[in-house]
Amino acid sequence: MRKYLCFGIGLMLFMACNLGRDKIPITPELKKEMENRQIKKLSEAQIFAKAIDLGRQIADDSQKTLAVNLKSAISTKGISEAIQFCNVAAMPLVDSLSLQYQATIRRVSFRVRNPKNQPDSLEKEILEAYQANLEKMLPPQPNVQQIDDQYLLYTQPILLNNPLCLQCHGQVGNEIKKEDYDLLKKLYPQDSAINHQTGDLRGMWSIKLSKKAIINSM
Ligand code: HEC
């Protein structure tokens, strides 16, 4: 009998709590607080590990599409037509990955063709570290940095390890045909992405991920 009574009281308390809870309106502030708590529940290490996975997946997918587009454009239409296929910002895949992961996907470099691909101060530091590692012959590794309490930056070095790249990033008059360079200069008057050799650090993928999106994908 006592058992049933306890159970009954427990049930009533439970219902009362639930009734009470229903009355609390979910304001935007409360929603943010709940999200912040969720972020705290997962350890920073777990979030960083997932950022590495996600970033790598986004960079690899983008890189693959870029390579396939470039190769087929060069073989069917020639360099002048292929020039437009090296702009990742114009790739539909990058658009859909950005939407899917709420990520900002860029490629940055110290020697840019498109001034939009210039690195910011954090990206500069990371690029310098990649360059130093390459000179010490250390294997290129992806990296994750904290931007602020809401965003992380995933980066991955881009090595110029395919002779195909030299047709647009090599030496003018040698690997780059004079007429192709005229077109490149017309489109990118401040171009400094030439005179590269295979094995050079061409730049890096720079992928800004929100912690919220990382958690949602876990
Ligand atoms: C057909 C010509 C062409 C080929 C081949 C080519 N690129 Fe590019 N590359 C460009 C153009 C044009 C841009 C500027 C794109 C933009 O507007 O963002 C560019 C930009 C880049 C950037 C961004 C930084 C910057 O300089 O603005 C990287 C990194 C890059 N290319 C790497 C490569 C790699 C690696 C290869 C070989 C797999 C390659 N490219 C092959 C034409 C080419």
Side-chain angles (χ1 to χ4, degrees):
M1 180 59 195
R2 204 196 244 163
K3 210 158 79 190
Y4 289 118
L5 195 65
C6 283
F7 179 73
I9 293 171
L11 188 67
M12 266 164 21
L13 275 174
F14 174 69
M15 282 165 70
C17 286
N18 262 357
L19 282 176
R21 190 179 290 163
D22 278 345
K23 281 190 198 134
I24 300 175
I26 308 265
T27 60
E29 292 77 32
L30 184 62
K31 202 165 163 238
K32 191 144 195 269
E33 173 62 26
M34 281 156 66
E35 278 165 9
N36 282 344
R37 280 191 198 174
Q38 199 187 1
I39 288 177
K40 280 186 201 130
K41 250 196 295 182
L42 286 158
S43 76
E44 287 294 310
Q46 283 172 302
I47 298 175
F48 266 60
K50 185 66 193 180
I52 290 261
D53 277 359
L54 260 186
R56 197 192 305 254
Q57 186 193 334
I58 295 175
D60 288 353
D61 275 0
S62 307
Q63 181 90 44
K64 254 183 235 143
T65 315
L66 187 69
V68 169
N69 280 344
L70 263 182
K71 266 191 210 137
S72 77
I74 292 176
S75 62
T76 58
K77 300 172 183 150
I79 291 288
S80 61
E81 287 287 314
I83 282 171
Q84 59 187 295
F85 291 98
C86 207
N87 185 343
V88 283
M91 281 166 33
L93 171 95
V94 169
D95 261 1
S96 71
L97 287 173
S98 309
L99 272 180
Q100 186 181 343
Y101 298 112
Q102 294 164 45
T104 310
I105 306 168
R106 302 190 337 117
R107 283 180 316 170
V108 297
S109 171
F110 279 136
R111 284 154 63 178
V112 287
R113 176 151 285 163
N114 187 335
K116 281 192 191 147
N117 300 331
Q118 216 112 41
D120 65 21
S121 57
L122 175 61
E123 288 167 333
K124 262 189 204 151
E125 272 176 37
I126 303 169
L127 268 172
E128 266 160 20
Y130 282 146
Q131 186 65 51
N133 281 353
L134 190 70
E135 280 158 20
K136 285 187 224 144
M137 314 272 256
L138 293 170
Q141 296 283 2
N143 179 278
V144 172
Q145 298 276 330
Q146 176 108 12
I147 300 177
D148 53 35
D149 57 353
Q150 287 186 54
Y151 290 98
L152 297 180
L153 186 71
Y154 170 91
T155 57
Q156 180 179 311
I158 301 175
L159 295 182
L160 197 153
N161 49 14
N162 186 334
L164 174 99
C165 316
L166 296 177
Q167 295 185 51
C168 294
H169 294 294
Q171 222 175 40
V172 183
N174 188 4
E175 292 113 338
I176 309 180
K177 281 197 207 124
K178 180 81 183 57
E179 65 265 31
D180 292 334
Y181 196 61
D182 288 343
L183 177 63
L184 279 170
K185 257 313 215 201
K186 216 160 117 191
L187 296 170
Y188 303 96
Q190 302 162 41
D191 180 33
S192 61
I194 53 166
N195 292 328
H196 272 291
Q197 296 176 344
T198 40
D200 276 4
L201 180 73
R202 176 70 263 276
M204 68 180 190
W205 288 99
S206 170
I207 300 170
K208 183 175 163 186
L209 296 162
S210 83
K211 286 191 185 177
K212 212 168 104 184
I214 297 170
I215 289 165
N216 286 343
S217 72
M218 283 166 107

